[in-house]
Structure formats: structure tokens, C-alpha cells
Amino acid sequence: WWLTRHALEDFRVKMVQHVALPMAYRWQAVGNMALLDAPWMMVIVVHRVDSSEVIAEKKRLAIEVAKAGGVIVGGFVAPAEKEILKCVYAEVPEVKVISFVPHTLTDYKPPARAIDGFRCGRRLLLSSVPEHAVDAPCQRQVCLRHNAIAEKLAGNRAAGARG
């Protein structure tokens, strides 16, 4: 636990601003803010109506983008989104990822397996939830907002077709 907490001290950023993030929200971040400036990104958002074929294509594209050095962006809340990211990590352990989380980062404690990604600058967690907010189960409107922001962020630097 101490190693995990100590390793992130240099990465903790209470409040951040970036041209790519909507100014209407207060942002907390942990990780490499430079990932927001990456030239090549792919968003992973799985919609309720997506077929298994569409999901499989998103997974295939995400692995291809990760192998080519692109950044994978998303909230990774839906089970299919989590599964795609898991498959990408299995194929490309050095993948660069920007994750939007639906809770504050104030007391964030990453799992030990995530430390290497932070240390090597391959991870960024972002939250638009105010610091004083009480953490609650994932709220749909926050997840949808983060998905829309992720889609806009990756939109100008799209790595391939998105469904």
C-alpha cells in the first residue's frame, strides 16, 4: 500500500485545466496530462444497441491503434468497454490510456498493476466530479457526459472508423 501511495504522489493533480477539457467543469487528474495532446486517439464507447459484430470491430480497431502507438480513450464503465480494454492490455501491455472516471480522485488508490503505467507516462485518469461531491454508485449522466467528452477529444485525432 505504501508503495502505491508513494508512487502516485508525483502524479496527483488536484485541479487541472487543459484546452481539450470543457472549461464548464472542474477537473481532477492523476497521470500524464501530455496524453491529452497525443496526435492519434481512439475512443471506446459501447452503446446499448451495439451488436456483437460492432463490439468485435471496436476491439479489433483498438488493438490495432494501441499497437501503432495511439491513445485509447474512454470511461470503461460498461462491461463491453471493460472487456475491450482488457483485451487491448492483453495484446499490447504498453498501451496508452486516458480514462474518465465517474467519481472523485481525492482518495484514489490505484491497484498495484497500474503503477507501471503511471510511472511510464502511459496512464491518465480524469474526473469532472467536484472535489466536495460524495462518491456514489456510478451516475449515468456523468458517464454519458464523459463519453461525449471522450468522443469529442478523440474526434479530431481519430485513429480509425468508430461505430
Side-chain angles (χ1 to χ4, degrees):
W1 179 85
W2 180 86
L3 176 62
T4 300
R5 192 70 163 164
H6 179 70
L8 282 183
E9 287 303 317
D10 293 336
F11 297 106
R12 182 157 314 276
V13 179
K14 287 281 187 191
M15 302 304 297
V16 297
Q17 291 183 348
H18 189 280
V19 69
L21 300 173
M23 298 296 285
Y25 303 104
R26 294 172 31 158
W27 291 94
Q28 290 180 314
V30 175
N32 184 2
M33 290 289 292
L35 291 177
L36 289 170
D37 298 316
W40 201 23
M41 296 183 180
M42 179 181 175
V43 66
I44 301 295
V45 174
V46 175
H47 303 283
R48 293 176 179 183
V49 296
D50 285 351
S51 67
S52 57
E53 292 82 15
V54 168
I55 294 170
E57 179 63 7
K58 288 180 182 187
K59 183 188 324 180
R60 186 193 68 73
L61 282 172
I63 290 169
E64 184 179 306
V65 168
K67 285 180 177 178
V71 177
I72 304 300
V73 183
F76 310 108
V77 172
E81 293 167 354
K82 290 178 185 178
E83 181 61 28
I84 290 172
L85 187 60
K86 182 179 173 183
C87 291
V88 171
Y89 271 117
E91 291 280 329
V92 189
E94 67 279 1
V95 62
K96 292 174 252 166
V97 178
I98 298 174
S99 298
F100 289 87
V101 296
H103 53 76
T104 66
L105 295 173
T106 305
D107 295 319
Y108 176 71
K109 296 176 187 142
R113 68 183 183 277
I115 294 298
D116 189 51
F118 284 110
R119 282 190 181 152
C120 296
R122 296 188 311 257
R123 292 280 287 147
L124 175 62
L125 296 182
L126 292 166
S127 173
S128 66
V129 179
E131 205 171 333
H132 64 275
V134 176
D135 280 342
C138 180
Q139 295 180 0
R140 182 166 168 71
Q141 69 270 20
V142 174
C143 294
L144 292 175
R145 179 176 73 227
H146 285 170
N147 283 349
I149 293 168
E151 287 175 329
K152 184 175 180 183
L153 176 65
N156 293 334
R157 297 169 267 191
R162 294 193 317 264

